[in-house]
Amino acid sequence: MSEHLLILVSTVLANNFVLVRFLGLCPFMGVSNKLEGAMGMAVATAFVLTLSSVSSYLVHRYLLTPFHLEYLSTLSFILVIAVTVQLTEMFMRKSSPVLYRVLGIFLPLITSNCAVLGVALLNVQEQHNLLQSALYGFGAAAGFGIVLVLFAAMRERITLADVPVPFKGAPIGLITAGMMALAFMGFKGLANL
Amino acid sequence: MMPSQLKQILADGAWRQNTGLVVLLGLCPLLAVTNTLVNGLALGLATMLTLMVSNLSVSLLRGLLKPEIRIPAFVLIIASVVTVIELLMHAYFYDLYRILGIFIPLIVTNCAIIGRAEAFASRNSPLPSLIDGFATGLGFCIALVLLGALRELTGHGTLLSGAHMLVGDWGRSLTLAVIPSHPGFLLAMLPPGAFFGLALLIAARNAWKARTPAQSFTPLTQDAHET
Amino acid sequence: MLISVLILSALGIVFGLGLGWAALRFKVDSDPVVERIDALLPQTQCGQCGYPGCRPYAEAIAKDEADINQCPPGGEAGIRALADLLGREPKPLNPENGEETAKTVVLIDESRCIGCTLCIQACPVDAIVGAAKLMHTVIRSECTGCNLCLPPCPVDCIDIVAAETSPPRWQRPRPKTARTG
Amino acid sequence: MTPSPIDEAAHEAGKRIHHFHGGLRLRHNKKISCRDPVERPPLPDLLIVPLLQQAGDIAEALVHTGDRVLKGQPIGQCQPCAAIHSPVSGTVEAIEDRPMSHPSGQSGPCVIIRPDGREEWFKLNPVDDWQTAGADELITQIQRCGIAGLGGAVFPTHTKMRDGRDRHIHTLILNGVECEPYISCDEMLMREQPGKIILGARILRRVLGAERVLIAIEDQMGAVQKALIGCAEFAQSKNISVIKVPTIYPEGGERQLIQVLTGLEVPAGGRPSDLGLVCQNVATAAAVAEAVTQGTPLIERYVTVTGNGISHPRNFLALFGTPISHLVACCGGYNDDVARLVIGGPMMGYPLDTDSAPVVKASNCVLALSRQDIAEPQVEMPCIRCGECARVCPAMLLPQQLQLQIRNGLWKPAQEYGLSACIECGCCDLVCPSHIPLVDWFRYGKGELRKRALENAATELARKRFEEREERLLRLKQERAEKMTRRKQVLKDKTTQQDRIQAAIRRAENKVAQKPDGQDGGTADDT
Amino acid sequence: MAEQPMTRNFEIGGAPHVPPQTTVAKVMLQVLLALVPGVLAYTWFFGPGILVQIGLASVFALAFEYLMLRLRGRPLKPFINDYSAVVTAVLFALCIPPLAPWWVSCIAMLFGIGFAKHLYGGLGQNVFNPAMVAYVVVLISFPQAMTSWLPPTALAEHSLGLADTLATIFTGRVPLEGGWDAITQATPLDLLKTGVETGRMVPEIRNSPIFGDFGGRGWEWIANWFALGGCFLLYRRVISWQVPVAVIGSVLLLSLPFWLADPDSNPFPLQHVFSGGIVLAAFFIATDPVSGCVSDRGRLIFGAGVAIITLVIRRWGGYPDGVAFAVLLMNMAAPLIDRYTRPRMYGE
Amino acid sequence: MNSSSHPVIRSGFLLGLIAVLGTGLLAGVNELTHERILEQEKRRVLQQLNEIIPTAAYNNDLLEDRIEIKDESFFHHPDPVTVYRARMDGQPVAALMTITAPDGYNGDIRLLAGVDTSGTLLGVRVISHRETPGLGDPIEIEKSDWILSFTHKSLLNPQNNGWAVKRDGGEFDQFTGATISPRAVVKAVHNTLLYFNANRDLLFGTKSTGANRDDA
Ligand SMILES: Cc1cc2nc3c(=O)[nH]c(=O)nc-3n(C[C@H](O)[C@H](O)[C@H](O)COP(=O)(O)O)c2cc1C
Ligand SMILES: Cc1cc2nc3c(=O)[nH]c(=O)nc-3n(C[C@H](O)[C@H](O)[C@H](O)COP(=O)(O)O)c2cc1C
Ligand SMILES: Cc1cc2nc3c(=O)[nH]c(=O)nc-3n(C[C@H](O)[C@H](O)[C@H](O)COP(=O)(O)O)c2cc1C
Ligand SMILES: Cc1cc2nc3c(=O)[nH]c(=O)nc-3n(C[C@H](O)[C@H](O)[C@H](O)CO)c2cc1C
Ligand code: SF4
Ligand code: SF4
Ligand code: SF4
Ligand code: SF4
Ligand code: FES
């Protein structure tokens, strides 16, 4: 139990995927201009991430390991992910075009949100079992989502501020992200209760 | 293809549309592995190689790909290329392999690569695609190296430390202590430092660009006019 | 070696089939965005955007055929609204389409009007009334100031006048504060 | 209406004193202008009667240059708003644009009358017995006499009454609070003419079919309460109570006053009548009394002339059109250090750039402030989000956020933050440590909203008519097609004409597309 | 106009036509005033070091303020004179060890004023609390300098005079035999953390002489004086009650059950309040209007958040005290909180 | 979907094709690099071991001659300890153990300690740790040579109570502002020696359990 809690605490706070592990930064910077968009992205990613984390685990455990094909993991993982994303995209495009508009080019780019592949690979590295993989994937997504939404809210306030011209846009966004990372340093050590 | 077009592609990829500093794709490796110049350079080269190969093959296959499987196909190609590179590094640059760790396979998801495949390779003939791959990779490399240098300098006061992992033992002599007896500034090594560093680089680029007149839309706040 | 090839190609084929199926299953129908874009356009119907009216322009934007900075009557505010809706960066008005000007309406100098009905034909919003051979007048409240009626008029009896700003319509100015920060 | 808790609370009005959010205790400064009794100033040698005196449109003049007018004769009318009458008998010198004490500071059409000093009245027709007269008759009388709210908004009273009559009104609130510093005209009125106020109150009550009248006054107005109650008892009129409310600005605000008296809030976007209440200023009531019983139209009002810039502050009963300079002269002129001339109170009043402007229905106070009274132009700092503004805002808004949205032209958020609910009381502005001209921003913002509303209406109309036209053309085409099958001959010239038209349109589009401002020039030449 | 010879013209200005009641500078000065008692107590218990640090920090803060204003081309006078930079500097100085070397303040203020404040547009527009950014930056960059604390002078076998203090701060070397190890000592929170982690009992740890009745000896009194200053701010309505109440209240409420459950490995609630930065934060730091929440409900949430995160970090995290991080983390959340705690408007 | 009758089949086929090509390529490269990669892995572990015991000092295959032991009573840590046994012509020379110090400031500190048959330390190295950079990390050889102070120490040198940091009255330095990390290391090493003393024979006696080689 506590071990599972630990996985969540670690992925969400102590080793937050975006701010500490440096995974999934492109959507983090790209979809954070509007709070609504950010929320949409957070949800979509959470869905894809958990799903692909599990499915890639299954592929690895029951297809690759038995035949000693670990060297194919990257290839097969990314394939699994790409398909998951693609299905999600088509589905969303059909079901809620508005959200689709907001997320724009970023939905297909969830594929290349390295957090997704990162989770799959780390699952292997840390030798997680099925439940752990699911938790890990979900935790990563939760960490990503929370940070993304907070970030978006902050950016909405910052766009109204008198930021020095060279820093307008991306730079001040990165500075803010840096400050967030600074704050998250406080969680260091939480993971090893 | 005519040289003017060539220059166009090169300039765009390497600087004007620099993935790291302008388009802001491939941020993760850019921030994660750049605590020293050499690490940055190594990943940069790997990425460049991937870009060229993937662009080439995508543009070769571009005729056959239906929209709904385009992305998966790209990804497959890129993934194969990356894995090859990964295996090779594992075998021949073992130390680097261990330092760059998970970020080598993660080249697959470097948005820049798929972005180029989508935007350029799938619409152009092989040669330009190859060059575009090179240019973009170069641009990314530049970003990585700049940031790596900045962080290593402020963090340790050195440059090129660990070059031996790239070029063999004689590389140890390359390490130069720019600021001797640098007390060490941890922040530059830690995640916040990475973000700050990149922010400063981009801001510097903007400032530099602003000096050369270019039309830029005064941002949303109307106060910009008053101030 | 052989196994690996088999397995991965199996994966590939399965996924491919799945995707192809999904592609058919979830085919997207018409784009609702046109409505929302059109709602943001000023409906002056002046055609300065290069399209015969606001709605065609809206459709063009939705199809990514036209840029968002081609509507002078909409002006900067309009562009900003569009950029917001479409999640793009705002950009300056394209000078080729003209520049943002204060809202105007037109007046027909009734002494000179010969009642040729040409302006009536030209007006996209039926803001001109009058019958053949009788002098025409512009319904001020309905004129959008698109000026399409000017060129056809054979006797140039149509003048442009500013929309009125007398005290009841008076609009408080934006505070001119020495903004410091 | 089934009695809901709300109704009951509303019926409880005045039983208990509640309090409203925010507000400020300001220095009163009323005594200086209350020392001597109110009198009429001598006739000025010219009266300037603006044709725009209230919310609404410019009235159209009913007289022409050179006409002779009688006192109380209608000289301006406009449909939605209140009529305008001549304050004196005399001749119309001119009808021209003059400074007309409007917040815009702009000049506007005014009727310039030279009084002949004979004070001949226009034929007045009072309502012979208001106690038996029907509500409609009374309302038309009020309308004919051009009564408008004298408490600030100068909103046509008959409109309010009509609406009130159609709703279920149980309580009439007379607003004698006069919460702004310096102003004392309502207080003097209540001292000197309590009878008229009570009479007006009873008339209005009858019009509205209300049960009760509450007259709200500030707790610092001692004598007034007795006087009013006295008159009420003399008139043997039940259910008229005079209620003292604590002196907190802006308690005179309609919505705040209602909250103080009932503990209820007027629903956002709604009106007092939604609670079964109607609020009128005491002066309005007095004016109604005169209008109904004597038939005299609204041609004069109590005006406070005060401030440290005036050598001898006092109250006048001034005719509309009297130049402010004239009133000031009657107070012994300005002091040397006078710096600013304000119409209304220091909090909400608007400044005038010249004192040649006249007294109008809205001008309850002429305030001449000296250097040290007003703020020397402050350098504005950015908002530090200290929250003072929110603490004092009687409308419970977040002025800091509001200001930010307006500044950046984010109109939708501005509305969500309640821009239209701002009563422009100025409390936030006063307490802001960063000296942000908040009220100016809000007034500007409100204007923008109004403009946008108009524009949107126009846009919608245009869209509608455009689409209608499109399908009309389509229809025509089809009909023509049918005809074509039948009669070739007719077809020919029709199409040729059609071609000509199409060509014209195309020409137009090209022309416009190429040189957008070309045609202005083109027309400029031959106009 | 012949008829009215003596008309006269006036300049106009926006309503209200009344001089403003206060200024930003006055607000900040009140904050500084409220800090005085706490600072004096600090000096009393730990020697003159803190005064030197305050001086240093203020100088650097103003220097960077000036520099950034110049670079941004903004008017100098109004902003240099608003004292907000000084407030930042003082609050930062109160967080660092009294003997921290001089360059710590310099780097800290570069990040606090230069980055956290002016890159966001300067006064009033910063999302993060400049003082806390400054502190955290140096804490993670120079852990050694930032963890060498002094014991209260009462306990120190040899305490430093002003001269020695200056020497230490500017040379980085302690002019005594034994050097740093001789004069520094782990703070009460350090002892608690390391002690509990090595399985010792809280009461046992508290036997150490540096513990007083609640918090550390000395520390707890300083906290009291800060609280006094805070009450002054409350009385002057510079700060609203929500934040302090939320912070201290939540600390008490949340630490109580732990203490009841297992008093041996969890400190007494009041001890939590009186040790570390809680009181200072409750009255002066979490109340920063700029980086905090706007609405009253928002402020309650903000305060509670600070308390919770602080306790979590103290109990499970890698740092002995987490106030600074807690404040920054809540700064992060503030815009979102604001969005969902907009107060009810009149008639809504 | 402008495509003809069977877009589904077609796309499936295409993906399959690409997958096949890719896999073929990979399989090939894998074949080529497989050997060398294993080599590299081995070399790395050996390098670490040889920092403590010079290649000249032994002539058996360290990586093969290896056992796993568990003994919480000594090591206060659940993780098994891997012991590499160095032998010269079959004669035991030294045992190199990967031990874990559980009580670092930020958690586990993994160490490699080499003890010769006489019970004297050949040397100690830190394999991995999470101590605070700048405070606790001088325990690494890269940051300072504090770790070398263990070389040639044994249970008797120093005496029992000397096995502690100076602040606790022992012989080993602590770092300014950081006592926990050194304390943890000293304790762990001491335990190792105690364990070694207690079951020396067991350590060298049993034959190598070649069992789980693949977690080398
Ligand atoms: C039918 C009706 C419509 C009204 N419309 C308005 C209006 O559009 N604007 C307005 O300021 N007051 C309007 N009022 C009057 C307000 O209720 C309020 O009495 C008036 O604004 C004066 O209040 P104030 O001086 O506090 O602004 C209306 C009243 C009635 C009965
Ligand atoms: C901030 C504010 C203060 C006001 N103060 C007074 C006041 O002191 N006395 C008053 O009669 N009306 C005052 N008003 C106008 C009242 O809100 C209300 O419009 C008026 O009493 C309606 O009566 P009327 O239509 O007869 O003017 C104030 C309005 C506002 C917005
Ligand atoms: C942020 C922070 C990180 C620390 N990291 C370590 C560490 O990694 N190793 C260590 O031994 N002490 C570390 N300490 C110091 C301990 O908290 C404690 O002060 C010290 O080890 C107690 O021993 P002392 O007697 O040297 O002060 C750290 C302190 C702080 C505030
Ligand atoms: C009550 C109050 C508390 C403040 N607290 C802080 C603080 O904790 N840190 C800080 O840098 N500035 C503080 N300031 C000063 C100022 O608000 C701060 O520098 C702004 O963030 C500058 O934009 C405070 C000001 C006030 C009025
Ligand atoms: S330019 Fe603007 S207003 Fe004119 S037609 Fe095009 S969209 Fe409509
Ligand atoms: S009247 Fe002329 S300007 Fe006005 S809408 Fe019609 S065509 Fe356009
Ligand atoms: S009072 Fe002024 S500074 Fe304070 S919050 Fe309101 S607007 Fe901002
Ligand atoms: S002016 Fe508007 S915002 Fe300001 S206090 Fe008055 S009501 Fe509130
Ligand atoms: S590189 Fe990680 S998300 Fe783009």
Side-chain angles (χ1 to χ4, degrees), chain A:
Chain A
M1 177 53 223
S2 79
E3 161 222 24
H4 295 142
L5 182 69
L6 208 57
I7 291 186
L8 282 182
V9 173
S10 159
T11 45
V12 177
L13 301 178
N15 299 319
N16 180 286
F17 261 56
V18 180
L19 296 177
V20 184
R21 279 273 177 83
F22 288 128
L23 291 172
L25 279 160
C26 300
F28 179 71
M29 291 301 296
V31 202
S32 47
N33 291 322
K34 285 247 171 304
L35 189 57
E36 288 69 19
M39 289 178 165
M41 190 60 169
V43 175
T45 313
F47 181 72
V48 175
L49 205 48
T50 325
L51 208 61
S52 58
S53 174
V54 170
S55 39
S56 54
Y57 166 81
L58 293 174
V59 169
H60 184 265
R61 175 76 180 69
Y62 296 106
L63 265 181
L64 303 184
T65 339
F67 303 100
H68 295 289
L69 295 178
E70 285 81 2
Y71 65 92
L72 286 184
S73 44
T74 313
L75 191 53
S76 37
F77 288 170
I78 198 66
L79 192 57
V80 172
I81 293 165
V83 171
T84 324
V85 170
Q86 195 80 138
L87 292 176
T88 324
E89 180 198 354
M90 296 193 211
F91 180 71
M92 178 182 288
R93 189 187 189 127
K94 177 81 172 185
S95 56
S96 110
V98 183
L99 187 57
Y100 181 77
R101 260 282 162 184
V102 180
L103 300 194
I105 63 166
F106 282 96
L107 243 175
L109 287 191
I110 287 186
T111 320
S112 43
N113 170 348
C114 34
V116 186
L117 181 58
V119 167
L121 293 169
L122 289 170
N123 276 331
V124 176
Q125 210 173 67
E126 323 241 315
Q127 301 172 345
H128 287 148
N129 62 27
L130 182 60
L131 176 54
Q132 288 169 323
S133 308
L135 277 175
Y136 200 69
F138 177 75
F144 173 81
I146 292 173
V147 176
L148 179 62
V149 169
L150 292 178
F151 186 53
M154 276 191 277
R155 280 188 97 166
E156 284 193 347
R157 179 176 161 191
I158 293 169
T159 45
L160 305 185
D162 170 34
V163 175
V165 177
F167 279 86
K168 281 203 190 298
I172 195 63
L174 285 163
I175 295 274
T176 312
M179 298 285 177
M180 296 170 83
L182 208 57
F184 266 70
M185 299 283 296
F187 291 127
K188 190 162 63 57
L190 266 191
N192 44 34
L193 294 148

Side-chain angles (χ1 to χ4, degrees), chain D residues 125-137:
Chain D
N125 41 7
V127 177
D128 20 28
D129 179 5
W130 64 268
Q131 312 232 6
T132 58
D136 291 351
E137 184 186 355

Side-chain angles (χ1 to χ4, degrees), chain C residues 38-39 42-43 45 48 98 121 123-126 142 150 156 158-159 167-168 170-172 174 177 179-180, chain D residues 56 104 106 379-380 407 437 441 443-444 447 459 461-463 465-466 469 472 501 512 516 519-520 523 526-527:
Chain C
D38 187 42
Q43 304 299 329
Q45 315 294 2
Q48 290 182 57
Q121 312 279 4
C123 177
V125 293
D126 292 340
E142 291 177 1
L150 299 176
D156 281 333
I158 307 181
D159 308 332
W170 171 67
Q171 158 71 46
R172 275 182 196 274
R174 181 182 172 82
T177 57
R179 186 82 163 71
T180 49
Chain D
S104 67
Q106 293 173 349
V379 43
E380 177 190 353
R407 213 183 261 281
W441 278 111
R443 288 179 170 163
Y444 157 73
T459 307
L461 180 68
R463 177 182 288 114
R465 297 187 65 94
F466 179 67
R469 177 163 184 274
R472 199 186 74 238
I501 294 153
V512 179
Q519 70 280 70
D520 308 26
T523 50
D526 43 38
T527 42

Side-chain angles (χ1 to χ4, degrees), chain E residues 243-332:
Chain E
V243 174
V245 169
V247 173
I248 296 178
S250 322
V251 169
L252 290 174
L253 280 181
L254 291 168
S255 51
L256 189 61
F258 284 91
W259 178 69
L260 291 176
D262 173 2
D264 286 340
S265 48
N266 294 294
F268 182 57
L270 276 177
Q271 182 177 349
H272 264 304
V273 174
F274 281 104
S275 42
I278 287 286
V279 172
L280 184 67
F283 286 101
F284 292 90
I285 296 176
T287 49
D288 175 12
V290 174
S291 50
C293 281
V294 171
S295 67
D296 292 351
R297 256 187 315 152
R299 294 198 180 109
L300 283 172
I301 300 176
F302 189 91
V306 169
I308 296 172
I309 299 175
T310 308
L311 289 182
V312 166
I313 293 180
R314 278 186 184 179
R315 176 78 172 70
W316 291 292
Y319 289 89
D321 199 355
V323 176
F325 294 102
V327 169
L328 289 184
L329 286 161
M330 288 317 286
N331 289 161
M332 261 167 60

Side-chain angles (χ1 to χ4, degrees), chain A residues 74-75 78-79 82, chain B residues 49-62 64-65 69-85 107-108 113-114 117 121-122, chain C residues 8, chain F residues 14-15 17-23 25-26:
Chain A
T74 313
L75 191 53
I78 198 66
L79 192 57
Chain B
L49 199 57
T50 319
L51 260 163
M52 293 165 71
V53 182
S54 68
N55 260 13
L56 186 58
S57 27
V58 165
S59 102
L60 284 174
L61 289 176
R62 68 183 188 280
L64 317 169
L65 298 178
I69 58 158
R70 219 168 64 243
I71 301 264
F74 293 166
V75 169
L76 266 179
I77 298 170
I78 298 168
S80 321
V81 180
V82 170
T83 319
V84 170
I85 292 178
I107 294 177
V108 178
I113 300 182
I114 232 181
S122 61
Chain C
L8 257 219
Chain F
L14 259 174
L15 266 195
L17 182 70
I18 297 171
V20 173
L21 292 180
T23 339
L25 180 66
L26 286 193

Side-chain angles (χ1 to χ4, degrees), chain D residues 149-151 160 175 178-179 250 252-254 279-281 284 348 423:
Chain D
L150 298 180
K160 238 164 153 177
N175 184 343
E178 199 163 51
C179 55
E254 186 172 61
C279 173
Q280 289 289 356
N281 171 268
T284 318
M348 298 188 67
I423 61 171

